[in-house]
Amino acid sequence: VSDSALAPELIFSRRRSMSGGDGRSRWNHAGTTPAASLARHMLTEGDRSAAWPGLMRAAQDGDQRAYADLLHQILPVTRAMVRRRIHDGSLIDEVVQDVLLTLHRVRHTYDPDRPFMPWLAAIASARAIDQMRKRRRRAVHEVFDETAMLNHPDEMGDRNAEALDAQAEVARLLDRLPPRQREALKLVKLDELSLAEAAAMTGQSVGALKVTVHRAIRALRGWRENGR
Amino acid sequence: MSRDDELIAHLASDATPVRRAAPPLRRAMIWLVLIAIVSALALARLYVPGTMALRMTNGWSYVELGATLTTGIAAIVAAFNLGVPGDSHQWHWAPLPPLLLWVVATLAGLAASRPGWGVPGSSMACFKFVVIASTPMAIAVIIALRRTLSLAPWRTSFLAGLGVSALATFMLAFCHPFALDPADLAAHLTAILVVTAAVTLLGGPLLKIRPRR
């Protein structure tokens, strides 16, 4: 069975130019191998999956561009394979990445004279099953108790309330500052901009901004010490 | 740049040339031939003259010996085959028919020769032989299987354990100058189970594919 027959749903998310003139400069290991050239030629013919064995052969020989092309091309197919076994959307991306990592680890086991799809499908299937087993094991150890939240005291509750009080006090004190000082303090201390950035935004010189911020802090400290 | 793009870029930058693994059947055959040569050399020293004449008391003994060897070979070939993604899963079951034949022939041989029950514990030498002969073979097969690792590491190491213990039991037939009795059979069976379990448990983690991020 040919690869193309096994992958009728091939829809590629990105169309990459395979014959770019600057291609050679991007080879890191071997130059253009005959297999990679043939594979690229075949890609222009429309049946991309037929080129995968050639691209994989080139990748095994160290052709990094062919490998990147291949991985991009198989991504939608891999996702479709994983989706057939896993219905939890949050898991699919994780498993797809796991499949790519596994493929990379065992790329020397692929025989370019054999179809590529069964090799890829076996990896995708094994990784999806592993993930489902992990999920099941985790589910066994998890306890679902819908009243637990209600019965458990919230130890952070007081701390959150204190934080809210502090926030309200800061807002109240800032409101008492003159607008020019309030804006300078907010930009430099709360938004953590540099003096130069804040000066550019307020239209003041850096020196004038420093003085404004200093006065604002002194005013806040004074109000706080006097308990006002 | 999406997470997938980042990962692909990372993997591509790490794609150094790799040496393709030979087809699993060829690797299994090379392994078996090497083991056969070493075993033949070992047996040439260990063979007790007249053993086979004593051991082969009836037709079932020949069937048993053939089934033992076939089980070992089939299990080893299946283990190598499982190491390559996408290879036929039919191989999982290849050792089953000869294994069943081995059991049937052993029991039929016992029924035909009608030996006494034997003395429990007297077959310790058989147990030791199977374990000692299996150990180097188990190490060798796990090293060979690590070339490809496996998507099904536990099944692969189980088949490797079964193959190694069957081959060791086959070798034992040449150093076993007395007819099989039930106590003896229990010792053989225990040794096979111990070796298979040990290779499965110790070999499984060594055959796992651990992708590196």
Side-chain angles (χ1 to χ4, degrees), chain A residues 14 57 60-62 64 67 72 75 79 97 100-102 104-109 112 114 118-119 122 127, chain B residues 3-5 8 11-21 85-87 147-148 151 209-213:
Chain A
R14 47 174 62 210
R57 181 197 291 271
Q60 288 173 328
D61 293 337
Q64 299 184 344
Y67 192 40
H72 276 297
L75 205 53
R79 185 160 281 121
Q97 295 224 337
L100 294 185
L101 286 161
T102 305
H104 181 68
R105 186 80 178 81
V106 298
R107 64 191 187 282
H108 64 291
T109 65
R114 303 182 68 175
W119 185 78
R127 283 309 179 219
Chain B
R3 278 180 67 207
D4 290 337
D5 291 337
I8 289 172
L11 296 179
S13 68
D14 187 46
T16 49
V18 287
R19 194 164 55 87
R20 281 180 206 101
D87 266 50
R147 168 84 177 107
T148 57
L151 289 170
I209 300 169
R210 298 176 204 278
R212 291 186 284 258
R213 276 192 190 259

Side-chain angles (χ1 to χ4, degrees), chain A residues 179-193:
Chain A
R180 194 180 162 86
Q181 285 185 14
R182 184 167 59 233
E183 188 190 12
L185 192 70
K186 197 168 165 301
L187 290 173
V188 175
K189 296 296 177 188
L190 300 183
D191 296 345
E192 296 180 342
L193 295 183

Side-chain angles (χ1 to χ4, degrees), chain B residues 4-145:
Chain B
D4 290 337
D5 291 337
E6 275 174 30
L7 179 64
I8 289 172
H10 169 69
L11 296 179
S13 68
D14 187 46
T16 49
V18 287
R19 194 164 55 87
R20 281 180 206 101
L25 194 62
R26 192 191 305 164
R27 290 171 47 237
M29 287 306 153
I30 291 170
W31 188 88
L32 284 165
V33 167
L34 290 176
I35 289 295
I37 293 168
V38 175
S39 303
L41 291 173
L43 286 176
R45 283 178 167 271
L46 295 173
Y47 182 68
V48 180
T51 298
M52 291 314 280
L54 269 169
R55 186 84 161 78
M56 299 296 163
T57 47
N58 59 46
W60 284 112
S61 301
Y62 293 96
V63 177
E64 181 201 335
L65 202 61
T68 312
L69 179 63
T70 313
T71 302
I73 292 172
I76 292 294
V77 172
F80 274 91
N81 221 65
L82 261 182
V84 176
D87 266 50
S88 172
H89 282 210
Q90 305 298 325
W91 275 105
H92 294 200
W93 305 107
L96 194 59
L99 181 65
L100 290 175
L101 186 60
W102 181 10
V103 172
V104 169
T106 306
L107 295 177
L110 269 180
S113 62
R114 296 177 184 276
W117 284 103
V119 183
S122 65
S123 306
M124 202 56 196
C126 297
F127 179 86
K128 279 184 191 166
F129 183 96
V130 173
V131 171
I132 291 170
S134 294
T135 304
M137 283 197 280
I139 294 169
V141 78
I142 294 297
I143 289 172
L145 289 169

